[in-house]
Amino acid sequence: MRARKDERIGRVLEAIHHHPGNDGDLGRLAQVATMPRSSFSSRFTALTGEAPIAYLTRWRMNIAASRLREEDITAARLASELGYQSEAAFNRAFTRIND
């Protein structure tokens, strides 16, 4: 809850939640927060309990798991929609998070 109320980290969380397929680069997320990368990463982790990229990956995989249960959708399409460069990269992330 504290993370959402934080002006800078809250902006990043909103961006992740509304546009999970956008570039998940740490530098881009730090730009959304208007903070240097190292300061952003430390603050994000302190407020959420996880590193920014780990949070983004977990959020994406939660979306993927839900959509795979509820829709007739391919892993390739999900990979593209969730910002992965390849289906293989998506599958590795999905397996890592859901094991």
Side-chain angles (χ1 to χ4, degrees):
M1 227 21 198
R2 286 184 10 217
R4 287 186 177 221
K5 291 183 179 183
D6 183 274
E7 179 183 346
R8 293 176 183 216
I9 302 306
R11 273 197 309 260
V12 174
L13 291 172
E14 186 174 318
I16 288 172
H17 291 175
H18 290 144
H19 306 286
N22 282 0
D23 181 19
D25 175 76
L26 183 62
R28 187 194 68 77
L29 295 175
Q31 285 178 340
V32 172
T34 62
M35 297 175 71
R37 286 171 43 149
S38 61
S39 299
F40 162 70
S41 186
S42 295
R43 186 171 183 165
F44 189 99
T45 302
L47 290 172
T48 66
E50 37 187 345
I53 301 307
Y55 183 95
L56 173 61
T57 301
R58 186 177 53 79
W59 181 254
R60 286 174 170 175
M61 295 305 106
N62 286 341
I63 291 169
S66 176
R67 291 188 63 197
L68 285 167
R69 278 192 308 273
E70 297 170 7
E71 301 174 27
D72 183 20
I73 190 166
T74 65
R77 182 165 173 203
L78 277 173
S80 175
E81 290 179 9
L82 293 174
Y84 287 86
Q85 297 297 316
S86 70
E87 183 178 353
F90 168 80
N91 286 333
R92 283 190 301 273
F94 190 85
T95 300
R96 185 177 67 247
I97 298 295
N98 291 296
D99 269 351

